[in-house]
Amino acid sequence: MSERHESDDESEAMGLRKIIHVDMDAFFASVEQRDNPELRGKPVAVGGAGGRGVVAAASYEARKFGVRSAMPSVTAQRLCPDLIFVRHRFDAYKEASRQIRAIFLRHTPHVEPLSLDEAYLDVTDDLLGIGSATRIAELIRQEIKAKTQLTASAGVSYNKFLAKLASDQNKPDGLCVIRPGEGAEFVARLPVRRFHGVGPKGAEKMARLGIATGADLAAKDIAFLRQHFGSQADYLYRAARGIDLRPVRAHRERKSIGGERTFSEDISSGPALRETLDNIIDIVWDSIERTGAKGRTVTLKMKYSDFQNVTRAKTVDEPVADKSEFAQIGRALLDELLPLPMPIRLMGLTLSKLERDSESEERPRDEAQLSLL
């Protein structure tokens, strides 16, 4: 007989979905520690050391000292003098990601990957007939640990927004469940900084408006939010009430291939921006090669600390031929914008106007836009 949890019965009675968000713990750094026993238990940063280096990922031992992704390496070294820098090994990260994805697909075909180490799963109708989303999340975490020797945190709820909040609640190696009827109360207690899309500058702006928690945000009407937050207002209004109607999308037509990074700290220096762009180029071009896609437009996207977006794009006559051309165009687009008028909190690079290789064996899927690191 399938194991069932009370929360799953409630979800079915209310016609709600059963959503799991799985997020690997310090993924890149954890892979490095797994593969090199000498790094285990020590503060590790994936990225380049030296004056131009930027931290791409940090182990939990490093995070205790305040080391974060997108931080200049010299700053990270100052915070943590014993920090060990290792160069990225994307092949190792992609292989671990492939193993993790296979585990997801044993339970449901409804998998929406957000990056190499993060995905939403809709297990309302799970393939193994387990019935309990909580039990499925527990099994997935156990299977990941057994297969990859890596730990994952998971959030279980009835929509994507809440599941993602839940997966971050008990990190690392944790599980959190937000049951039907608990979403609004859970969100009300959270600092607004925990809301996806609200960075340090956004939180500061909200603080000036008297908004510190989800409850404070929910107390503001939509007119107030639109006045102060523009296009982000509708999202904030729904999020403050624990509402998210987005489905888990396992497949959709690919119109572009790209990746973006949201930084834990805003950055503005030219060397840090170029290092970050080069990391994005490495991962995005790998995805382009795997899919066999060809495109003619390269677009650079950046979001300033005040949430305003800026984009620059270049379209060439023939499909971009190789990684060096892709990188050259991306770097030129960045150089057009330097120096920046203010720091940025997000950077992304995409290839569009795609002409897919008819011999490509890989179907379009939701890896089209990767959220990097």
PDB file of all heavy atoms in Angstrom, residues 21 24 32 48 79 84 100 107 129 166 231-232 322:
ATOM      1  N   HIS A  21      10.711  21.282  -4.622  1.00  0.00           N
ATOM      2  CA  HIS A  21      11.866  22.013  -5.140  1.00  0.00           C
ATOM      3  C   HIS A  21      13.111  21.402  -4.509  1.00  0.00           C
ATOM      4  O   HIS A  21      13.232  21.353  -3.285  1.00  0.00           O
ATOM      5  CB  HIS A  21      11.800  23.502  -4.791  1.00  0.00           C
ATOM      6  CG  HIS A  21      12.971  24.288  -5.308  1.00  0.00           C
ATOM      7  ND1 HIS A  21      14.027  24.647  -4.500  1.00  0.00           N
ATOM      8  CD2 HIS A  21      13.274  24.743  -6.545  1.00  0.00           C
ATOM      9  CE1 HIS A  21      14.909  25.314  -5.213  1.00  0.00           C
ATOM     10  NE2 HIS A  21      14.483  25.385  -6.461  1.00  0.00           N
ATOM     11  N   MET A  24      20.607  21.447  -4.611  1.00  0.00           N
ATOM     12  CA  MET A  24      21.821  20.830  -4.093  1.00  0.00           C
ATOM     13  C   MET A  24      22.557  21.810  -3.172  1.00  0.00           C
ATOM     14  O   MET A  24      22.506  23.020  -3.361  1.00  0.00           O
ATOM     15  CB  MET A  24      22.726  20.401  -5.241  1.00  0.00           C
ATOM     16  CG  MET A  24      22.095  19.387  -6.188  1.00  0.00           C
ATOM     17  SD  MET A  24      21.595  17.868  -5.352  1.00  0.00           S
ATOM     18  CE  MET A  24      23.197  17.259  -4.808  1.00  0.00           C
ATOM     19  N   GLU A  32      33.786  19.326  -5.571  1.00  0.00           N
ATOM     20  CA  GLU A  32      35.232  19.398  -5.409  1.00  0.00           C
ATOM     21  C   GLU A  32      35.673  18.700  -4.123  1.00  0.00           C
ATOM     22  O   GLU A  32      36.678  17.976  -4.097  1.00  0.00           O
ATOM     23  CB  GLU A  32      35.697  20.860  -5.407  1.00  0.00           C
ATOM     24  CG  GLU A  32      35.437  21.612  -6.696  1.00  0.00           C
ATOM     25  CD  GLU A  32      36.147  21.007  -7.886  1.00  0.00           C
ATOM     26  OE1 GLU A  32      37.164  20.303  -7.699  1.00  0.00           O
ATOM     27  OE2 GLU A  32      35.678  21.223  -9.024  1.00  0.00           O
ATOM     28  N   GLY A  48      38.683  31.832  -9.563  1.00  0.00           N
ATOM     29  CA  GLY A  48      40.070  32.238  -9.738  1.00  0.00           C
ATOM     30  C   GLY A  48      40.574  33.052  -8.566  1.00  0.00           C
ATOM     31  O   GLY A  48      39.886  33.951  -8.075  1.00  0.00           O
ATOM     32  N   LEU A  79      38.566  37.850   4.113  1.00  0.00           N
ATOM     33  CA  LEU A  79      37.600  37.361   5.101  1.00  0.00           C
ATOM     34  C   LEU A  79      38.009  36.005   5.668  1.00  0.00           C
ATOM     35  O   LEU A  79      37.769  35.718   6.848  1.00  0.00           O
ATOM     36  CB  LEU A  79      36.209  37.251   4.471  1.00  0.00           C
ATOM     37  CG  LEU A  79      35.504  38.548   4.103  1.00  0.00           C
ATOM     38  CD1 LEU A  79      34.235  38.254   3.312  1.00  0.00           C
ATOM     39  CD2 LEU A  79      35.153  39.338   5.366  1.00  0.00           C
ATOM     40  N   ILE A  84      40.744  28.018   0.307  1.00  0.00           N
ATOM     41  CA  ILE A  84      41.416  27.261  -0.749  1.00  0.00           C
ATOM     42  C   ILE A  84      40.658  27.476  -2.058  1.00  0.00           C
ATOM     43  O   ILE A  84      39.464  27.173  -2.146  1.00  0.00           O
ATOM     44  CB  ILE A  84      41.451  25.759  -0.418  1.00  0.00           C
ATOM     45  CG1 ILE A  84      42.169  25.518   0.911  1.00  0.00           C
ATOM     46  CG2 ILE A  84      42.134  24.978  -1.548  1.00  0.00           C
ATOM     47  CD1 ILE A  84      42.044  24.098   1.410  1.00  0.00           C
ATOM     48  N   ILE A 100      21.657  13.186 -11.040  1.00  0.00           N
ATOM     49  CA  ILE A 100      20.559  13.705 -10.221  1.00  0.00           C
ATOM     50  C   ILE A 100      19.278  13.794 -11.034  1.00  0.00           C
ATOM     51  O   ILE A 100      18.192  13.417 -10.568  1.00  0.00           O
ATOM     52  CB  ILE A 100      20.953  15.076  -9.637  1.00  0.00           C
ATOM     53  CG1 ILE A 100      22.115  14.915  -8.654  1.00  0.00           C
ATOM     54  CG2 ILE A 100      19.765  15.749  -8.954  1.00  0.00           C
ATOM     55  CD1 ILE A 100      22.845  16.206  -8.336  1.00  0.00           C
ATOM     56  N   HIS A 107      10.756   9.355 -10.684  1.00  0.00           N
ATOM     57  CA  HIS A 107       9.564   9.643  -9.890  1.00  0.00           C
ATOM     58  C   HIS A 107       8.493  10.403 -10.673  1.00  0.00           C
ATOM     59  O   HIS A 107       7.306  10.267 -10.386  1.00  0.00           O
ATOM     60  CB  HIS A 107       9.959  10.442  -8.649  1.00  0.00           C
ATOM     61  CG  HIS A 107      10.765   9.646  -7.666  1.00  0.00           C
ATOM     62  ND1 HIS A 107      10.194   8.842  -6.707  1.00  0.00           N
ATOM     63  CD2 HIS A 107      12.114   9.518  -7.507  1.00  0.00           C
ATOM     64  CE1 HIS A 107      11.140   8.255  -5.991  1.00  0.00           C
ATOM     65  NE2 HIS A 107      12.315   8.653  -6.455  1.00  0.00           N
ATOM     66  N   GLY A 129       3.775   5.559  -7.673  1.00  0.00           N
ATOM     67  CA  GLY A 129       2.562   5.401  -6.883  1.00  0.00           C
ATOM     68  C   GLY A 129       2.766   5.573  -5.393  1.00  0.00           C
ATOM     69  O   GLY A 129       2.015   5.013  -4.582  1.00  0.00           O
ATOM     70  N   ALA A 166      10.726  26.872   0.911  1.00  0.00           N
ATOM     71  CA  ALA A 166      10.876  25.768   1.859  1.00  0.00           C
ATOM     72  C   ALA A 166      12.219  25.068   1.700  1.00  0.00           C
ATOM     73  O   ALA A 166      12.834  24.655   2.695  1.00  0.00           O
ATOM     74  CB  ALA A 166       9.734  24.764   1.678  1.00  0.00           C
ATOM     75  N   SER A 231       6.692  47.071 -12.483  1.00  0.00           N
ATOM     76  CA  SER A 231       6.303  45.779 -13.048  1.00  0.00           C
ATOM     77  C   SER A 231       6.448  44.627 -12.061  1.00  0.00           C
ATOM     78  O   SER A 231       5.883  43.552 -12.272  1.00  0.00           O
ATOM     79  CB  SER A 231       7.153  45.482 -14.291  1.00  0.00           C
ATOM     80  OG  SER A 231       8.535  45.429 -13.955  1.00  0.00           O
ATOM     81  N   GLN A 232       7.189  44.831 -10.986  1.00  0.00           N
ATOM     82  CA  GLN A 232       7.364  43.780  -9.990  1.00  0.00           C
ATOM     83  C   GLN A 232       6.201  43.726  -8.998  1.00  0.00           C
ATOM     84  O   GLN A 232       6.098  42.784  -8.205  1.00  0.00           O
ATOM     85  CB  GLN A 232       8.675  44.001  -9.231  1.00  0.00           C
ATOM     86  CG  GLN A 232       9.169  42.761  -8.500  1.00  0.00           C
ATOM     87  CD  GLN A 232      10.422  43.015  -7.688  1.00  0.00           C
ATOM     88  OE1 GLN A 232      10.728  44.150  -7.310  1.00  0.00           O
ATOM     89  NE2 GLN A 232      11.163  41.958  -7.397  1.00  0.00           N
ATOM     90  N   ASP A 322      31.509  29.431 -33.318  1.00  0.00           N
ATOM     91  CA  ASP A 322      32.247  28.734 -32.263  1.00  0.00           C
ATOM     92  C   ASP A 322      32.237  29.565 -30.982  1.00  0.00           C
ATOM     93  O   ASP A 322      31.739  30.692 -30.941  1.00  0.00           O
ATOM     94  CB  ASP A 322      33.680  28.437 -32.701  1.00  0.00           C
ATOM     95  CG  ASP A 322      34.414  29.677 -33.218  1.00  0.00           C
ATOM     96  OD1 ASP A 322      34.178  30.776 -32.679  1.00  0.00           O
ATOM     97  OD2 ASP A 322      35.210  29.538 -34.155  1.00  0.00           O
TER      98      ASP A 322
END
